Amino acid sequence: MILADSHAHVYSEQFKPDRDDMLNRAYEAGVETIFMPNIDHTSIDVMLETEAHFPQQCYAMMGLHPCSVGKHFEKQLYEVEEWLGKRPFAAVGECGIDLYWDKTHLAEQQEALRIQINLAKQHNLPLVLHTRDAFRETADLIEAAQDGTLRGVFHCFSGSKEEAEEVIRLGFKMGIGGVATFKNGGLDKTLPGTALEHLLLETDCPYLAPMPHRGKRNEPAYLPLIAQRLADILNKDLEEVVEATTRNTKELFGM
């Protein structure tokens, strides 16, 4: 089986002691392609170094995470824009809105997302959206900007059936990760009947490790556990799920 991890922070400090071994484990588990979302100016160098060391496996995105958006976010977005003009990236992201930790800078997060939506349009790139406790706020901005050219993924999707239908209507995909394996994750109620063409697999490592590793450091080698759980939820063969989600991921990111 050949899998693609559509969202993995493999450049994270948590992987510094064993990054090479971790990425080799991923390859041995069939995860041949890994897409890395950027966080902010502090993560760019190590992300690009990881890509340079593993050019056949790891692919960088460029964006500004909503949790890094404060009053003076414009300077960081200038840097994002500058990088997008320098070299190819797989996507604009990760960007979006996060109201879980702090609602203080909602207006700034909304403006930062609008700017990154426009950057995605300018560079003909997909958007990778973070929507923690902010699905409605994010979806409203995507709907307002959708002119038929916007595409991307609502990463770490864990919403309702109605929200899943809205993502599909907006022309976006859903990134399915470790939450699908949690007992009360809810995706066993949301996803049945969803066509595979709308879904991607992701780990969001080092976060959100799937069962039976919940609470531990996550890594791409665990992606087959998420694929199997998705196959169970959809009542489909594992091979069909892997083939479809890998194809969807590569198509979305232009491979």
Side-chain angles (χ1 to χ4, degrees):
M1 293 189 298
I2 299 173
L3 298 104
D5 190 339
S6 66
H7 197 108
H9 302 270
V10 291
Y11 56 81
S12 166
E13 185 75 15
Q14 292 191 39
F15 294 119
K16 191 173 183 180
D18 65 338
R19 186 171 287 113
D20 288 16
D21 290 341
M22 175 270 295
L23 287 169
N24 285 329
R25 283 195 296 274
Y27 195 84
E28 288 167 5
V31 185
E32 294 188 3
T33 313
I34 298 169
F35 292 93
M36 303 181 295
N38 189 49
I39 298 297
D40 54 31
H41 70 283
T42 66
S43 54
I44 294 172
D45 286 349
V46 66
M47 178 182 68
L48 295 181
E49 286 168 13
T50 302
E51 183 188 59
H53 284 117
F54 294 88
Q56 304 303 316
Q57 188 179 23
C58 297
Y59 299 87
M61 308 176 197
M62 181 51 58
L64 178 62
H65 193 291
C67 290
S68 294
V69 172
K71 281 190 174 179
H72 307 292
F73 67 92
E74 293 94 341
K75 184 179 178 184
Q76 291 213 65
L77 281 180
Y78 286 137
E79 189 169 5
V80 166
E81 185 173 9
E82 200 173 84
W83 271 107
L84 287 168
K86 282 182 188 176
R87 47 147 287 172
F89 286 94
V92 173
E94 115 186 52
C95 56
I97 299 175
D98 187 307
L99 299 180
Y100 177 80
W101 296 108
D102 184 7
K103 298 178 174 66
T104 308
H105 296 298
L106 173 59
E108 288 87 350
Q109 288 189 39
Q110 288 171 317
E111 183 59 20
L113 178 54
R114 287 189 195 97
I115 291 168
Q116 290 179 92
I117 288 170
N118 287 330
L119 287 172
K121 287 182 176 181
Q122 286 173 33
H123 294 275
N124 190 27
L125 289 172
L127 278 166
V128 173
L129 296 169
H130 174 109
T131 63
R132 193 172 189 189
D133 282 8
F135 177 87
R136 180 75 273 133
E137 290 82 354
T138 309
D140 284 349
L141 287 178
I142 296 300
E143 183 161 26
Q146 182 57 280
D147 57 3
T149 66
L150 267 185
R151 63 196 189 281
V153 55
F154 280 68
H155 120 79
C156 196
F157 182 82
S158 58
S160 66
K161 201 162 190 67
E162 292 73 26
E163 287 171 342
E165 289 168 355
E166 185 166 1
V167 171
I168 293 168
R169 182 176 58 78
L170 288 170
F172 276 61
K173 311 286 188 192
M174 288 167 273
I176 307 302
V179 172
T181 71
F182 299 169
K183 186 177 180 182
N184 298 313
L187 289 175
D188 56 326
K189 298 177 179 64
T190 297
L191 292 179
T194 303
L196 276 169
E197 67 188 273
H198 305 303
L199 304 175
L200 312 181
L201 295 177
E202 63 168 68
T203 57
D204 197 21
C205 68
Y207 318 107
L208 291 173
M211 296 296 290
H213 305 288
R214 188 175 183 180
K216 300 176 183 176
R217 187 190 75 173
N218 197 7
E219 60 179 79
Y222 299 157
L223 196 65
L225 295 169
I226 299 167
Q228 182 61 65
R229 178 57 179 151
L230 182 58
D232 294 342
I233 290 172
L234 297 178
N235 195 27
K236 292 186 180 294
D237 291 336
L238 176 61
E239 291 77 9
E240 183 183 0
V241 168
V242 168
E243 184 182 338
T245 54
T246 299
R247 181 176 64 249
N248 295 344
T249 303
K250 290 185 175 183
E251 286 178 356
L252 180 65
F253 294 125
M255 289 189 68

